[in-house]
Amino acid sequence: MNKIICMIAALCCAVACTTPQKTVSQEELLALAKGHDLVAVFPDGRVETYNGRGLGPLLTHLETGDLKDAQMYDKVTGRASALLLAYGGAKSLHTGMLSKEAIPILTKYHISYSADKEVDYILNRSKTGSCPMETAARPLEDAQQAFPILKASYQALISGSYTGQ
């Protein structure tokens, strides 16, 4: 009986280990991204799309799941987004706009990336300076430590109590 159980377990493992992981081309990712601010394509073929401003869509997803080995599209990616993508375990990223401040984080966490446009930093909504979340992320290097800090900063920002620190 134990031999049969071991053989079944080995067969299941072999099937699971040889199941091909789903990847999409950049063109397919961009087609999925039409009309969305954030798209995650997971190795099992599942696609999740989100809409919303700033870090909201990414934080929403990370509240309930990870991004393990996901191919990502993010409309705008700054340092804060890069830290959250690393925290979630994303594999790759294509973005419409990439902050140069995000590149060291993406590189550190081995997230391959491409961008339609690179900028020095992400501007705030009034275009008078740096995005508050980019500012909050500047001193942060570790994705695990960054998640609760960025989450709290974002919640303060949307509630109107953000002080910039």
Side-chain angles (χ1 to χ4, degrees), residues 20-38:
Q21 291 193 348
K22 172 78 172 152
T23 59
V24 295
S25 68
Q26 185 168 324
E27 293 78 23
E28 291 170 313
L29 183 63
L30 290 173
L32 291 168
K34 289 219 185 290
H36 300 290
D37 297 317
L38 182 71

Side-chain angles (χ1 to χ4, degrees), residues 121 123-130:
Y121 58 89
L123 291 172
N124 60 25
R125 292 187 181 148
S126 61
K127 301 192 183 332
T128 58
S130 183

Side-chain angles (χ1 to χ4, degrees), residues 58-70:
L58 194 48
L59 285 167
T60 297
H61 175 83
L62 291 172
E63 284 296 315
T64 58
D66 63 28
L67 299 168
K68 183 75 174 133
D69 294 328

Side-chain angles (χ1 to χ4, degrees), residues 130-133 135-136 149 152-165:
S130 183
C131 164
M133 296 311 300
T135 301
I149 295 167
S153 295
Y154 182 77
Q155 288 172 339
L157 181 66
I158 62 172
S159 73
S161 63
Y162 183 75
T163 63
Q165 298 180 12

Side-chain angles (χ1 to χ4, degrees), residues 8-160:
I8 291 171
L11 180 60
C12 289
C13 183
V15 170
C17 292
T18 60
T19 302
Q21 291 193 348
K22 172 78 172 152
T23 59
V24 295
S25 68
Q26 185 168 324
E27 293 78 23
E28 291 170 313
L29 183 63
L30 290 173
L32 291 168
K34 289 219 185 290
H36 300 290
D37 297 317
L38 182 71
V39 176
V41 179
F42 294 90
D44 64 4
R46 180 173 37 109
V47 176
E48 293 185 14
T49 60
Y50 298 88
N51 290 308
R53 295 182 77 167
L55 295 179
L58 194 48
L59 285 167
T60 297
H61 175 83
L62 291 172
E63 284 296 315
T64 58
D66 63 28
L67 299 168
K68 183 75 174 133
D69 294 328
Q71 292 176 263
M72 301 296 301
Y73 169 83
D74 189 10
K75 189 174 182 179
V76 176
T77 306
R79 186 177 181 90
S81 294
L83 283 160
L84 293 175
L85 291 169
Y87 172 80
K91 175 183 176 181
S92 65
L93 166 72
H94 180 78
T95 184
M97 182 183 302
L98 178 66
S99 161
K100 290 180 182 174
E101 294 186 27
I103 293 171
I105 299 299
L106 297 171
T107 302
K108 175 181 178 177
Y109 287 96
H110 309 288
I111 300 171
S112 62
Y113 65 90
S114 60
D116 296 332
K117 179 180 180 181
E118 281 187 23
V119 296
D120 289 333
Y121 58 89
I122 305 301
L123 291 172
N124 60 25
R125 292 187 181 148
S126 61
K127 301 192 183 332
T128 58
S130 183
C131 164
M133 296 311 300
E134 188 103 323
T135 301
R138 276 194 188 109
L140 305 174
E141 294 288 331
D142 182 86
Q144 296 299 312
Q145 292 174 350
F147 178 72
I149 295 167
L150 294 173
K151 180 180 170 187
S153 295
Y154 182 77
Q155 288 172 339
L157 181 66
I158 62 172
S159 73

